[in-house]
Structure formats: structure tokens, C-alpha cells
Amino acid sequence: MSEEQREAECRAIDSILSGIGVWHEFSVSVKNSELDSGSFFVQSTVMAFDYHFPHKEDPESPFSSMLMFDGKRYPPDITAVDNEIIDNWIFAFNNIDHPLLVSRIGDLIWVNGRTPGSHIYAQRACRAYAELANADGFSIYQSDCIVRAIDIAVKLNMKDITDLIDQAVFYVKEHFRLSSGAPGIPLRVLDRLSSLPKKISKKMGFSVYPLLGEAERLYVNDAFILEHIRDLMISSLRGQDEEIKKVAKSQIQSWVAEADRSTPLVKISHLKRAQELANSHGLSDDVQNIRLKIQNAMDEPDGMTDIYSEVRFSSEEYEASVENFINDSNLHSTLIGIGSYCPIPEKEQVEIEARDLIRQHPLRSLIKNVIVDDAGLPKKFIQGEESYFLHEVKQQEIIWTQMWGAFLPGILNRVADRFDSYPSSLEDFFVSDFISPEIAKIIARGFSYFHEEKYDEALCIVTPRLEAVIREMCRQVGISVYIPPVGENLGEYKALGVLLSLLEEVLPQRIRTYISLVLNDQVGINIRNRLCHGHIVEENQLEVALILHMALLLRCFRLER
């Protein structure tokens, strides 16, 4: 393409940019314009805008791909972009002054790092981000721009850092003044200001503490946001032990007040968070007081009401889904077909779905959340973007598995209706490379119990045998299942989670994820652990069906000789 053609396309791109407000709108706007979307120059520019904007303060590798599938990425990893594409980015950067393009492409060229003088592109990108952040109103994109501009300025030791910090402080204060306590947008900026290098803060005479004090007063009635703010306050008070204890005590009081406003089940969770905080700061009197409050809360009636959510299918859709697994002519192939089905999609698809949900609800990652166990006790705290992403991935995997579990009883009952030899012939069917005749007999009995609606019996006899099958699989492929005694330490069998990780080269990743999610993942369905620790007290047809499917799944694997 000639330089004149590229200049003409730059003018068209500049016109498109003037009509949009954020980076992700560019691709759609190009498709809806008269610009030749087949032009390599245009495609290169669109690619630059298709990277996900950074949502963590990591100047080394801040941009992520939009799509990942079959081991491929679009756009590619920023360090692997072709030189021809970078040449087009440089041409666009030098011929278009719009801050959306200058910020994005200048930043990408800098992060890519192969262009001589890439820091110059980064400096212009930094100033373009600052310009975008000055737009009217408040949005997550403006806070992203401020944070990214500070990232670059700190990394390059730019003189602009003073103006950027002033801009960030003004932005946060204006949001406090106008938002009436709406959470979210200023917290990312406060996070970044709190992590400024000490030498910069000292040189400017800047302290984030007064801003955090304003935030504390604004969000006084929200213990979750207050905890995040006070964590930042404690970080900024490093070495001032008495002041840190005062802040910690304030947060303990916030959790206790939140507990007093909550239902009994949630109350215990909030008190546990207060107790954890008191323990970590050595506040023994508070620990004792909170322990008494927890004991009293456990004696209160929980006032719980069962709430059910439904996903409705037409009878035709349900029938089609069930019949899809039935081969009228052959019981063996029917069972293999059911067993070989894994409900969890490939990892890339699950991650895409998780990212889409996070983009729809971007503020959730700014606030600490808690996962509770069957007794309402806190099991895990979720805080920060990476933690929320991994949690959302797990939730998507659980949803896929539970959807499959909802269909399984109908599928198994349909098999029983179609084949007279089922389940009486299952003992011979289950004998295989990794399943001994003795275990096959017990698993077959579990299927009989299921169809007799003796779900508790089926669950109790089949679940531990699944782990025995997995251990046998490890033995036969050469993986040690036992840790011998060393010195005073007793010998012991390796945990199920360890064995599944060691089977990485034997079982596909999504199969291992599915098995772990059902059996032993503590934030998954976790049937094996909940059963063995006495936390399953009521029969659950769905969970029993999933356990039986685990047996069918393991039956499908054979040892290659």
C-alpha cells in the first residue's frame, strides 16, 4: 500500500475516532463505516484497539488478548506482534493526533519494546491518557486512564508525575463531592496513589492518608468498602503501631455493627472477619469479646427460607437432550457415550465467559467478598481482580456441572426404561483396566441403589471407590501414590488433589477439572470431602447422579499398551 493510501485511511480513522468515547467501540465503528475493513493497515489499527485494557498495575505486561482458542490468541501476545503490524501502528501514531489512538498505540509500542526510542511513544501515550481522563463526568474508563498514566510516568520517571497526581487527587475529591457515596470508580485511583514509590511521595510532600480519611467518612456505612480503605490506611502507616491499631479497631467496630444489622447466618461471617482482624493485630480483648458474640449468634434461630432458582426447558428440548445419549441398539455404547461426556468446556471458553461477566459488573472486583461453607462459616475471601477472575471461572465451571447434573437422573432413568439388562449387567461392564472386579461389583450396586431411590446408600459406597480407581490409574501409569516414612514422619498416601495434578499428562485438563470440582475442590461441589466430613446430611439426587457419572467417566479410560 502506498503512503498516500495510508494517509487517506488515517484521515478516515481520525474521523471515526471523533465519534466514539472508548477504545472498544472502534472495531464496530469501522465495520459500520465506509472504510475498507479488508485493508491490512486498517486491520492492524483495529487489532490495536481489540486488546483488553489493563486492569492491574503491571506496566511490563498490561494488555491481554480478546479471544483465546485452540492455543491461539487474538490479538496475539503483545511481545509477538509482527514487525509489519508495528510499522503500521507507528505510521498511524505519527499521522493521527486523537488521544484514543495516541494512548493505545503509543502504549502498545512501548510494551512491545522492539521499537527504538519506544519510551517517546510511551510519554505521548501518558499525556493522551491524562487528556482522556479530563473528560466530563466520571467513568471506569477515566479512572483507568489516570491509573495507567501514573503507571507510565512512574516507570519512566517523567516530570509529568506531579501534575498527574494532582489530577488524580482532584478527580477523587470531585467524585466524593458529587457521588453521595456511590462506590467503585475512585477506589482504583486510591489504590494507585497508595502504592506510589516513597521517593516520589516524599519529593512531592504528598500523603494519600487525608484522601483515605475522606473516603472513610464517605463510606462509613459500608463495612466492605471500609475494609479496603482501611487496609490502604494501615499500609500507609507502616511502622506507626499505635495508629495502625486504632484503624484496625475502627474496622473491627464496623464489622460488628454490620453483623448487628445482619441475619444470624451472615452475622457469624461478619463477626469472623472482625475476629480475624483482631487476631492479626494482637487485640486480645477484642478477640475474646467477638468470640462471645459468635457463640451467642450460633444459638440464634437462623430464620432461613429455602429459595430455589429454576432454568426452564420445554419438554421437547428436554426430551431431545436426554434422547441424544441413548443408543437403542446397544447398552454398552450408550453407557460409554454418557461416560465420555464432560460438561465443562475448554478452559479458553470458560475464561472468555468469566471475563464477559466481570466486564458487565466491573465494580465487584474492588470490594472484598466472602465464600461461606455449609455451616455459614467463612471459607475464602475474594479480593482483587485476579482473585475475582479465578472465582468467576470456578463459578462458570460449577454452573456447567450442575446443569449437567440436572439432566443426569433423567438420562439414567431413560437407560433403565430402554434396557432390561440395566442395571443388573453393570458389574461386567465396569470391570476394566483401572477398575477391579471387586470395585466394579460395588459400583454396580450403587447404580441399583440409585434406581431404588436409596441415594444415601449409593453415595456412600461409590464415592470412596472412585478415589481407589484414580489411585490404581496412577499406579499403572507409573505415578507413586505413597509417601514413605522419613525419620519420625509417618508414611502416608498422597492426597487426591495431588494425584489429579500428577495425572496432567494422562488426563485432559478439563477432565481433571471436572473430577476435582465434583470430588475434592473445596470451593467446588466437593462431594467426597463433604461426605467424609459429615457435612452432607440430606439426600441429593443430583449429587448422587454426578458421582455415578464419575464412575462411568473413569470406566471410559483404558491403558495404552
Side-chain angles (χ1 to χ4, degrees):
M1 175 182 289
S2 68
E3 187 166 318
E4 290 77 14
Q5 288 175 303
R6 287 201 294 180
E7 287 176 349
E9 290 186 344
C10 280
R11 289 192 291 273
I13 289 170
D14 196 15
S15 177
I16 291 171
L17 289 168
S18 65
I20 64 175
V22 292
W23 299 277
H24 70 256
E25 295 175 352
F26 180 71
S27 180
V28 174
S29 299
V30 168
K31 292 176 183 176
N32 294 334
S33 73
E34 297 180 358
L35 196 59
D36 179 12
S37 58
S39 159
F40 183 65
F41 179 76
V42 174
Q43 290 176 348
S44 300
T45 309
V46 169
M47 177 191 289
F49 283 82
D50 281 344
Y51 282 96
H52 285 319
F53 191 80
H55 281 285
K56 57 181 179 179
E57 289 71 31
D58 181 6
E60 300 301 329
S61 181
F63 292 98
S64 61
S65 303
M66 175 189 290
L67 300 172
M68 291 179 286
F69 53 93
D70 294 335
K72 301 176 182 177
R73 295 170 177 264
Y74 174 81
D77 186 284
I78 186 60
T79 60
V81 176
D82 292 340
N83 288 334
E84 191 174 358
I85 293 175
I86 294 177
D87 288 342
N88 281 334
W89 287 354
I90 292 172
F91 189 90
F93 184 89
N94 290 331
N95 285 274
I96 300 174
D97 290 329
H98 196 285
L100 280 174
L101 184 136
V102 173
S103 60
R104 171 52 58 93
I105 288 185
D107 202 349
L108 288 173
I109 291 172
W110 178 52
V111 173
N112 173 269
R114 295 205 305 266
T115 302
S118 61
H119 66 283
I120 297 173
Y121 295 87
Q123 289 170 350
R124 280 193 60 193
C126 175
R127 291 165 188 140
Y129 280 130
E131 182 179 347
L132 291 171
N134 272 331
D136 292 336
F138 300 97
S139 74
I140 195 70
Y141 298 104
Q142 288 170 277
S143 65
D144 284 342
C145 287
I146 292 175
V147 168
R148 186 61 183 153
I150 293 174
D151 287 341
I152 296 172
V154 168
K155 186 72 176 178
L156 297 180
N157 198 24
M158 294 172 61
K159 294 180 180 179
D160 305 61
I161 188 65
T162 300
D163 292 337
L164 289 171
I165 291 173
D166 288 343
Q167 182 181 359
V169 171
F170 177 79
Y171 180 83
V172 171
K173 286 185 174 181
E174 281 296 285
H175 190 279
F176 287 165
R177 185 175 67 86
L178 300 172
S179 66
S180 301
I185 291 171
L187 297 184
R188 268 181 55 73
V189 183
L190 284 173
D191 279 351
R192 190 63 188 90
L193 291 174
S194 297
S195 62
L196 286 172
K198 285 185 178 179
K199 63 179 182 180
I200 291 177
S201 299
K202 186 175 181 180
K203 183 178 179 181
M204 288 183 58
F206 171 75
S207 172
V208 73
Y209 201 84
L211 269 184
L212 295 173
E214 289 187 44
E216 184 182 34
R217 289 187 290 275
L218 184 65
Y219 299 117
V220 67
N221 294 319
D222 192 320
F224 293 90
I225 296 180
L226 278 177
E227 181 173 63
H228 184 80
I229 292 167
R230 285 168 175 155
D231 282 346
L232 297 178
M233 296 175 82
I234 288 171
S235 177
S236 70
L237 290 170
R238 193 169 299 151
Q240 303 178 48
D241 293 345
E242 291 305 313
E243 291 299 316
I244 287 174
K245 286 186 177 182
K246 288 180 182 178
V247 174
K249 274 184 169 291
S250 296
Q251 185 56 31
I252 290 167
Q253 292 166 6
S254 294
W255 281 125
V256 171
E258 190 75 22
D260 291 340
R261 294 192 291 266
S262 303
T263 58
L265 194 62
V266 179
K267 175 185 288 189
I268 294 172
S269 172
H270 293 332
L271 290 173
K272 284 284 187 179
R273 293 177 82 154
Q275 186 182 45
E276 178 190 3
L277 191 59
N279 269 320
S280 65
H281 290 281
L283 302 172
S284 54
D285 290 343
D286 291 286
V287 171
Q288 182 60 30
N289 292 334
I290 295 167
R291 185 180 293 122
L292 293 174
K293 287 180 177 290
I294 291 173
Q295 291 172 354
N296 292 334
M298 287 181 172
D299 294 333
E300 297 179 19
D302 60 20
M304 293 288 285
T305 301
D306 291 332
I307 299 175
Y308 300 90
S309 62
E310 295 183 350
V311 177
R312 293 184 175 272
F313 297 91
S314 69
S315 57
E316 293 82 3
E317 290 173 320
Y318 178 82
E319 284 296 320
S321 297
V322 170
E323 283 294 326
N324 187 51
F325 288 94
I326 308 298
N327 181 342
D328 284 330
S329 63
N330 193 302
L331 172 60
H332 182 279
S333 63
T334 294
L335 294 175
I336 291 295
I338 297 170
S340 60
Y341 178 76
C342 177
I344 296 178
E346 294 293 344
K347 183 178 180 181
E348 291 81 0
Q349 180 182 340
V350 178
E351 289 181 347
I352 289 169
E353 292 175 355
R355 287 192 178 94
D356 286 342
L357 285 169
I358 290 172
R359 280 196 294 273
Q360 293 171 25
H361 307 283
L363 300 185
R364 289 192 302 176
S365 64
L366 300 174
I367 302 171
K368 184 184 287 187
N369 204 347
V370 61
I371 298 175
V372 297
D373 62 13
D374 294 338
L377 300 176
K379 181 188 294 184
K380 183 178 181 180
F381 293 114
I382 307 295
Q383 185 175 27
E385 291 165 7
E386 183 65 18
S387 181
Y388 262 90
F389 171 69
L390 295 175
H391 173 66
E392 200 60 64
V393 167
K394 184 75 66 182
Q395 292 307 300
Q396 291 305 303
E397 292 168 345
I398 290 172
I399 289 169
W400 280 104
T401 301
Q402 289 176 330
M403 289 283 287
W404 169 237
F407 278 93
L408 267 173
I411 294 171
L412 295 175
N413 287 328
R414 188 65 53 86
V415 174
D417 292 341
R418 295 289 175 84
F419 299 98
D420 293 336
S421 60
Y422 172 91
S424 59
S425 63
L426 287 182
E427 184 175 337
D428 291 336
F429 167 78
F430 273 108
V431 176
S432 54
D433 288 346
F434 306 118
I435 303 179
S436 68
E438 294 79 12
I439 289 181
K441 183 177 182 179
I442 295 171
I443 292 175
R445 194 190 315 154
F447 275 79
S448 296
Y449 282 146
F450 176 84
H451 291 289
E452 295 168 11
E453 297 185 6
K454 296 178 179 178
Y455 301 127
D456 198 35
E457 290 87 340
L459 193 67
C460 289
I461 68 170
V462 176
T463 303
R465 272 70 189 194
L466 300 178
E467 187 166 350
V469 174
I470 293 170
R471 292 187 188 282
E472 181 61 26
M473 182 182 294
C474 289
R475 289 190 188 97
Q476 293 203 37
V477 299
I479 296 172
S480 170
V481 300
Y482 189 74
I483 303 172
V486 177
E488 296 296 320
N489 296 326
L490 296 175
E492 60 181 349
Y493 283 97
K494 292 179 181 177
L496 178 58
V498 173
L499 295 180
L500 287 173
S501 66
L502 293 173
L503 286 167
E504 180 178 3
E505 297 183 4
V506 178
L507 299 179
Q509 183 269 334
R510 67 193 187 105
I511 297 292
R512 288 184 290 112
T513 297
Y514 176 47
I515 294 173
S516 178
L517 195 77
V518 171
L519 293 182
N520 68 304
D521 189 327
Q522 293 190 41
V523 290
I525 300 173
N526 198 26
I527 297 173
R528 173 254 206 185
N529 290 335
R530 290 168 49 233
L531 173 68
C532 295
H533 295 157
H535 295 311
I536 295 180
V537 295
E538 293 184 4
E539 298 172 344
N540 185 320
Q541 186 189 44
L542 181 153
E543 292 189 346
V544 180
L546 285 172
I547 287 296
L548 298 183
H549 183 250
M550 285 287 109
L552 290 171
L553 174 70
L554 293 172
R555 162 62 180 80
C556 291
F557 290 100
R558 297 182 301 172
L559 184 65
E560 291 186 2
R561 294 180 172 85

